[in-house]
Amino acid sequence: MSTYTIGEVAERTGFTTSALRYYEGRGLVSPATRTHGGYRVYDDHALTRLAFIARAKRLGCSLEEILDLASVSDGDRCGPVQRRLHRLVTSKITDVHTQIAELTAFTAQLQGAAAQLSEPASDGPCGAECACVAEPARPHVAVSVSAKPTESPIACTLDRDAMPDRLAEWQTLLDQATSRERGPNGALRVGFAADLPLGELARLVTAEQGCCSFFSFTITVDQRGVGLEVGAPEGADDIVAALFGDRR
């Protein structure tokens, strides 16, 4: 097995020598041995561990999450680590979609305010009708969170034991629906009040699309409020009706 000095490891991995010492202090990677002069000597196993750390960091894992992943390492068995990393990455997908929905809605709000504030100012002091105070008309924003429904077979991969909890989550959300209507493209639009939390809607939509990839979902925010547009291939009407309450 090849051996490497700390400088060689830094050059091969892109980590600084100070980072390598820090990771050693946290128990993530250790030199295979030390020379009589006390210099660290690393082996190929350390390079593999550092490659894993680098990948996890690129996937947005924090140091604490990487430490947790390292804690399930069992000798030469990759399976436990891979399964834990998969769960972690899946949860981050949900978090990212939530952030996208919230930031997209906020961007639209800023754009509407910028357009209103670019208009000529009213004479006199700021009042209820001036652009500094009055709210602009609610802009339209759409957030797409899935692929086309025709790309996948009509099947759900959610574990049977998890279905009751998922259905209860949808029911809690759909109890807040204010309208249901079909659009020109055949998609079902479920309407909600403007103050519906977008983050929770995006989280649930992402989870559903992960197990029922034949669905397509689009979250919209416009003058009508928040809308969830649900698309599905031909033959899935009964599933849409059962889950989203469509009564065509």
Side-chain angles (χ1 to χ4, degrees), residues 117-198:
L117 291 167
S118 68
E119 298 174 357
S122 59
D123 293 334
C126 290
E129 301 302 323
C130 78
C132 297
V133 178
E135 290 287 340
R138 192 175 182 87
H140 172 82
V141 54
V143 184
S144 177
V145 294
S146 74
K148 295 180 180 179
T150 55
E151 294 177 352
S152 302
I154 302 174
C156 179
T157 60
L158 184 65
D159 187 90
R160 184 175 297 274
D161 292 339
M163 284 186 179
D165 289 340
R166 175 66 59 76
L167 291 172
E169 287 185 294
W170 272 118
Q171 189 59 54
T172 299
L173 181 73
L174 293 169
D175 282 346
Q176 304 174 61
T178 57
S179 64
R180 287 177 174 84
E181 57 184 345
R182 285 278 174 172
N185 60 354
L188 171 68
R189 182 187 186 277
V190 183
F192 300 91
D195 60 353
L196 183 82
L198 286 177

Side-chain angles (χ1 to χ4, degrees), residues 11-242:
E11 183 177 355
R12 285 172 174 265
T13 64
F15 289 107
T16 64
T17 56
S18 59
L20 295 174
R21 295 187 185 96
Y22 178 72
Y23 290 152
E24 179 182 349
R26 297 301 301 268
L28 279 173
V29 63
S30 300
T33 186
R34 287 178 181 263
T35 67
H36 292 298
Y39 294 104
R40 294 170 173 82
V41 177
Y42 296 85
D43 56 15
D44 290 328
H45 175 73
L47 293 182
T48 301
R49 172 58 69 91
L50 288 166
F52 167 75
I53 294 171
R55 176 79 191 286
K57 286 172 65 67
R58 288 194 297 271
L59 292 174
C61 295
S62 67
L63 179 60
E64 294 306 316
E65 289 169 335
I66 294 173
L67 285 166
D68 178 65
L69 289 166
S71 72
V72 301
S73 178
D74 183 15
D76 295 329
R77 296 182 61 220
C78 177
V81 181
Q82 181 171 325
R83 287 191 293 272
R84 181 72 66 90
L85 182 58
H86 176 263
R87 290 195 296 270
L88 186 58
V89 168
T90 301
S91 70
K92 289 184 181 297
I93 293 172
T94 301
D95 293 341
V96 168
H97 279 305
T98 298
Q99 293 169 21
I100 290 172
E102 292 173 346
L103 288 174
T104 303
F106 184 53
T107 298
Q109 180 183 348
L110 292 174
Q111 290 171 338
Q116 183 187 29
L117 291 167
S118 68
E119 298 174 357
S122 59
D123 293 334
C126 290
E129 301 302 323
C130 78
C132 297
V133 178
E135 290 287 340
R138 192 175 182 87
H140 172 82
V141 54
V143 184
S144 177
V145 294
S146 74
K148 295 180 180 179
T150 55
E151 294 177 352
S152 302
I154 302 174
C156 179
T157 60
L158 184 65
D159 187 90
R160 184 175 297 274
D161 292 339
M163 284 186 179
D165 289 340
R166 175 66 59 76
L167 291 172
E169 287 185 294
W170 272 118
Q171 189 59 54
T172 299
L173 181 73
L174 293 169
D175 282 346
Q176 304 174 61
T178 57
S179 64
R180 287 177 174 84
E181 57 184 345
R182 285 278 174 172
N185 60 354
L188 171 68
R189 182 187 186 277
V190 183
F192 300 91
D195 60 353
L196 183 82
L198 286 177
E200 176 60 20
L201 177 59
R203 182 197 67 78
L204 191 53
V205 159
T206 303
E208 190 65 33
Q209 217 279 321
C211 64
C212 296
S213 55
F214 60 90
F215 281 131
S216 68
F217 299 99
T218 301
I219 299 171
T220 61
V221 182
D222 54 27
Q223 290 84 354
R224 296 172 294 176
V226 175
L228 172 62
E229 294 182 3
V230 184
E234 185 177 354
D237 287 348
D238 289 344
I239 299 176
V240 173

